[in-house]
Amino acid sequence: MSTTPPAGKLALPELAEMKRRGAKIVMVTAYDTPGARFAEDAGIDVILVGDTAAMVVLGHEGTTVPVTMDEMLFLTRTVARAARRPIVVGDMPFGSYQVSDEDAVRNAIRFIKEAGADAVKLEGAGASLSRVRAIVGAGIPVMGHIGLTPQSATMLGGFKTQGRTADAARKLVDDGLALEAAGCFSIVLEAMPSPVAARITEALRVPTIGIGAGANCDGQVLVYHDLLGLTEGHLPRFVKKYANLSREIRDALEAYADDVRTGAFPSEEYSYAMPQNELAGLDADV
Ligand code: KIV
């Protein structure tokens, strides 16, 4: 597999270089071509086609577990088509890497070959370490993910902050080190106290990307729909809303529905005219 990125693409080693320079890495999720274009234009470094798609795109309530490989490949393809500079990471869905290293490698290859991703992400340490080694061994870059790992939320007792005791925090540092040793090029730290994320970040050579993990990570990620105000209902404490697009979309759709019902749309401005003589001819024929 070639290690030379296409022209314009941010080279993967640049992320570690950014960590060394102290330049923050910006990652956002995206699930379609317009989202990827907006991310590209905003100068985002990494786009994660997250399995949060299950919730924010596919309508599953409060779980990432049901999203399938085929759905993730479809979404990743739409993003990879538009993302020129950002590194595109395909999130391996639940069930696509838990069974065996062989399965994990086969599915990771599909993300690269069929969907055009540059890298894949998978959750956890423990059994995932062997998966990371196998996928990296096949020449595919892997992003790790520790802390709150939504695919195993049931085992964790729900969507809860992790690493709140000294022992649990120490375990997270060990998991981070083990994932780095297994070959991860970067690790997402989700929902853990800031001092724990800071210690992991300091202990690792590869960059950490935080979500609900405080300011001392090497980069940050938020879910596209959350930061744009497209997600309705409860949002985790760590989400900062930079827009309220769901309000704007509702207002626009209501205005459109009103205009159609009252006949205000389409006005002349939005309609095609016909030359008078042709119209006269048409009427004469009828
Ligand atoms: O699936 C996802 O969007 C994620 C991010 C929250 C890191 O894993």
Side-chain angles (χ1 to χ4, degrees), residues 7 10 15 61-62 66-67 92 95 104 126 144 163 184 186 215 220 248 261 274:
L10 188 66
L15 297 181
E61 294 229 345
V67 68
M92 298 191 69
C184 283
S186 173
Q220 297 290 326
E248 293 209 23
R261 291 190 181 115
M274 192 174 180

Side-chain angles (χ1 to χ4, degrees), residues 194-212:
S194 309
V196 179
R199 278 170 178 70
I200 300 172
T201 300
E202 208 179 294
L204 299 186
R205 276 171 292 108
V206 298
T208 59
I209 311 287
I211 175 162

